[in-house]
Amino acid sequence: MTDIPFRFEPDATSASILAAHDSLEDGTESGVTVTIAGRMMLRRGQGKLVFGVLQDATGRIQLFAPAKTTPNFEEFGNLNLGDWLGVTGEVMKTKRGEVSVRVDHWEVLARWQGTFPDKFHGVTDTDLRYRQRYIDLWVNDESRERLVNRSRIVSGLRRMLDERGFLEVETPMLHPIAGGAAARPFTTHHNALDTDLFLRIAPELYLKRLVVGGFEKVFEIGRNFRNEGLSTRHNPEFTMMELYWAYADYQDCMVLVEELVSSLATEITGSTTVMFDDREVNLAAPWRKATMAELIEEHTGTKADLSMSRDELAAVAEQFDVEVKDYYGPGKIMMEIYEKTVETNLWDPVFVTEYPKEVSPLSRDHRDKPGYTERFECVVTGRELCNGFTELIDPVEQLARFEAQAAEKEAGDAEAMSVDYDYVRALEYGLPPTVGLGIGMDRLAMLLTGATTIRDVILFPTLRPEAGSIQHSDAGSQDISAEGTGSAEPVEPAS
C-alpha cells in the first residue's frame, strides 16, 4: 500500500457541513471548499456522474463526482464500498436538495479487502456483530448510537459525582486476597514475587481503606473480573462504579441513586420514562422502598422472614422449588426464596431493603431489627442495578464475619469471602460512619439504551472461542457475509 498517505488533515465533518449549509438553495454552490475524511458506504453511477455516501464519526454526507472535474473518474467509480477516502471539494446542494461535497480531489486512505456488508441490512449474524465490532459499528446505526450513549452515561456519572465533591481514585486490579464481593475470582501468578494474585472482583476494601485515611468522598469507575458464566446480564469482565461517603448512611445513598439515575435518563433520553423490552420504565423519583420480607409475602402470599426457624424457612423454600444446601442458614434461605420468587417480577425501580446479616458480610447491623442489615439493592426491569449499605465499622465484628465466610468457603461455597486481616487492621484505626454504593455501569447502560443483552453495551464482549480461530495476517480478506464460525450464545452462570 505504497500509495496510502502517512497522514491526512480534514478541516470539516459531515455534521458541521450539513449544519452550516442546510439553508443553501437547491441547485446552487456555496463557494466554500472543505476537506473531509471517512468511509465510502454507498456508491451509484449515472453515466458521467457518480454519487457516493461518505460516513465519518459524526454522520453521513453525499459526494457528488462529475466526470468533467473529478480526477481519475473511472477509478473513483470503481472504489470498493468500505474504502476510506479523503476528499476535498466545494459544498453544494443538488437540484433534489441534497447537501453534497463535489469531488475536486480525492485519495484513498485505507482499502477494504473484502465484501462490505449491505448498509441497508447491516450485520444480522449476532456472532459476527460481536466478534467483528469494527464492522458492526459502521453498518448498524443502532449499535453505534447505543455504544456512544454508554460513553455519555459513564462521563455523565463521573461529572455528577465530581460536582457533589467526590474524588475519583484508582485502586489495584491485582489483589492478594479476593474480597469485597461474593464471587469466584480469576487467579494469576506474579513471577518476580512468586505469588498467586487475583484479578479484583470489587474495589470495595481498598476504597474503604482510603476513607480510613481521611478521604471522605471517593469513587472509582473501573473493571471488575468474576470467573462466572455468560448470560444476557453477565460478562466475566464488567464495569462498576463504587463510591464511599463518610458521615452518610443507606437512606442518604438511596436519595443519591435516585438523583443520579433520573438525571442521567433525562440527559440521555430526554425523559425520566424510558423504554425497555417494549415496556415503559418510570425512573422519576421517589422510588418505592420495600423490605425483602414484605416483597416475599406480597409476591407469594407466604411469610418468610428471620422470625422463623431454619426448618420453617426450608419448608417455604421447598414450596417454590428453591434448593437449600446444608450450609445455608436462615438468612441465606430467605435470600434464595426472594431471588426465586420476587426479583425478576420487579419492573419499575424498587429499593429492596433489610437484607439478612448472613448474606451481607460487610454491612452494618440494622439499628432497629436484629438479624438484618442496613443494606439495599435497587432492582429495575427484573434485575439488580446497584447495591449499597451502611458500612460495618467494628473490626471485631468484621473479623467474625470474615471467619464465618471462610467457614462457608470450606463447606463448599466457592463465592464466599476469605479473611482480609489487613482490612481488619485498617478498621482498628477507625472508619467513621460511612455508606458505600456500587452501580453496574453495563446494566445502567442497558437500562438507558434499551439493550436487552449486556453484549450490546460492551464494545468487545467475552465470547466462546472461535472454532478455527483466525491466526493469520490475511484475516481481513474473509467475506463478512460468511456465517460465523463460533457461537455468541451465552453460557449461564452457575449462580
Side-chain angles (χ1 to χ4, degrees):
M1 295 188 177
T2 55
D3 57 333
I4 303 298
F6 283 87
R7 70 185 300 274
F8 190 81
E9 191 169 349
D11 61 17
T13 65
S14 296
S16 67
I17 294 168
L18 293 171
H21 299 281
D22 183 60
S23 60
L24 196 64
E25 291 185 13
D26 294 354
T28 61
E29 298 174 341
S30 68
V32 175
T33 297
V34 297
T35 298
I36 57 174
R39 199 188 282 274
M40 177 80 87
M41 301 302 292
L42 293 172
R43 187 194 65 248
R44 70 181 189 279
Q46 295 182 0
K48 295 295 183 178
L49 183 62
V50 171
F51 292 96
V53 172
L54 191 79
Q55 181 170 327
D56 61 15
T58 68
R60 300 195 280 286
I61 193 162
Q62 180 168 278
L63 301 178
F64 181 84
K68 281 185 179 181
T69 58
T70 302
N72 301 313
F73 175 75
E74 288 189 11
E75 184 182 346
F76 184 86
N78 290 318
L79 287 169
N80 288 330
L81 295 185
D83 283 349
W84 287 80
L85 300 180
V87 175
T88 298
E90 186 176 358
V91 180
M92 53 172 288
K93 185 176 276 191
T94 65
K95 292 179 181 178
R96 294 190 176 185
E98 186 80 20
V99 175
S100 307
V101 175
R102 190 181 64 223
V103 182
D104 298 332
H105 171 81
W106 65 275
E107 54 188 305
V108 176
L109 304 180
R111 296 188 186 279
W112 172 254
Q113 304 294 320
T115 303
F116 207 75
D118 185 330
K119 175 67 185 174
F120 292 106
H121 299 95
V123 179
T124 56
D125 185 321
T126 55
D127 185 59
L128 283 173
R129 285 185 55 226
Y130 300 133
R131 290 190 193 281
Q132 301 187 28
R133 184 70 86 184
Y134 40 88
I135 295 302
D136 179 47
L137 292 172
W138 282 107
V139 299
N140 288 320
D141 291 340
E142 186 178 4
S143 291
R144 176 182 285 266
E145 181 180 5
R146 181 177 286 127
L147 289 160
V148 166
N149 278 333
R150 180 211 164 92
S151 292
R152 292 178 60 206
I153 290 165
V154 173
S155 62
L157 184 62
R158 177 176 281 116
R159 185 191 69 249
M160 291 176 189
L161 291 174
D162 181 67
E163 290 170 351
R164 288 166 171 78
F166 285 87
L167 177 70
E168 184 170 12
V169 297
E170 293 178 329
T171 62
M173 291 278 193
L174 295 174
H175 290 187
I177 299 170
R184 295 187 182 191
F186 286 94
T187 306
T188 188
H189 186 79
H190 191 288
N191 292 332
L193 296 176
D194 191 24
T195 186
D196 287 339
L197 295 169
F198 303 96
L199 294 182
R200 76 172 177 199
I201 57 176
E204 175 168 344
L205 301 185
Y206 284 92
L207 290 170
K208 286 191 284 193
R209 284 173 169 95
L210 294 179
V211 180
V212 171
F215 288 0
E216 296 175 358
K217 286 181 162 184
V218 294
F219 78 98
E220 181 171 10
I221 299 175
R223 289 294 219 197
N224 291 347
F225 305 86
R226 297 183 183 178
N227 201 348
E228 302 170 344
L230 293 84
S231 76
T232 56
R233 295 181 292 164
H234 298 87
N235 197 66
E237 55 176 314
F238 60 97
T239 303
M240 181 74 74
M241 187 289 297
E242 286 209 22
L243 67 78
Y244 292 86
W245 179 7
Y247 318 126
D249 69 5
Y250 79 134
Q251 296 286 355
D252 299 308
C253 201
M254 284 187 273
V255 174
L256 177 63
V257 171
E258 291 174 338
E259 291 176 353
L260 294 174
V261 176
S262 61
S263 295
L264 282 168
T266 302
E267 203 169 284
I268 299 300
T269 72
S271 172
T272 53
T273 299
V274 301
M275 295 299 297
F276 187 87
D277 204 16
D278 297 324
R279 288 179 64 184
E280 286 189 350
V281 185
N282 182 10
L283 300 176
W287 296 352
R288 183 188 177 192
K289 297 181 180 70
T291 69
M292 182 182 290
E294 288 170 346
L295 289 168
I296 291 172
E297 187 162 5
E298 178 181 310
H299 284 260
T300 67
T302 303
K303 178 181 175 181
D305 63 31
L306 298 184
S307 68
M308 302 165 65
S309 70
R310 184 187 186 282
D311 288 344
E312 289 172 323
L313 285 165
V316 174
E318 187 177 0
Q319 291 180 41
F320 299 103
D321 297 320
V322 175
E323 181 184 6
V324 175
K325 297 182 179 179
D326 292 342
Y327 59 86
Y328 286 5
K332 177 66 171 174
I333 297 172
M334 181 179 170
M335 175 83 159
E336 293 290 320
I337 294 169
Y338 157 77
E339 289 185 341
K340 179 70 177 287
T341 63
V342 178
E343 189 171 73
T344 57
N345 296 312
L346 302 177
W347 189 255
D348 284 334
V350 178
F351 287 118
V352 183
T353 64
E354 296 181 14
Y355 277 66
K357 179 175 176 178
E358 181 186 344
V359 295
S360 310
L362 299 167
S363 307
R364 192 164 180 175
D365 287 358
H366 196 285
R367 66 195 77 183
D368 299 318
K369 297 185 177 180
Y372 294 97
T373 61
E374 296 201 345
R375 175 184 171 190
F376 70 86
E377 286 188 1
C378 173
V379 178
V380 58
T381 67
R383 63 198 73 193
E384 174 198 342
L385 177 66
C386 66
N387 181 29
F389 42 82
T390 308
E391 300 294 333
L392 178 59
I393 63 175
D394 181 349
V396 176
E397 173 69 11
Q398 184 64 80
L399 178 59
R401 293 206 203 168
F402 276 154
E403 289 173 340
Q405 284 279 299
E408 289 185 16
K409 186 182 285 287
E410 286 293 322
D413 187 352
E415 295 186 349
M417 296 183 196
S418 301
V419 180
D420 188 335
Y421 291 104
D422 180 71
Y423 177 68
V424 175
R425 179 171 59 186
L427 291 184
E428 291 173 349
Y429 282 85
L431 176 67
T434 297
V435 70
L437 169 70
I439 297 178
M441 298 306 297
D442 307 296
R443 292 189 185 179
L444 180 59
M446 289 174 66
L447 175 65
L448 299 185
T449 65
T452 55
T453 172
I454 196 170
R455 296 185 298 280
D456 281 343
V457 295
I458 297 176
L459 283 165
F460 300 102
T462 304
L463 304 171
R464 288 179 182 271
E466 191 172 8
S469 296
I470 299 166
Q471 303 292 336
H472 309 293
S473 60
D474 61 351
S477 64
Q478 68 174 351
D479 191 332
I480 193 75
S481 63
E483 291 187 5
T485 54
S487 173
E489 288 303 307
V491 181
E492 289 289 342
S495 58

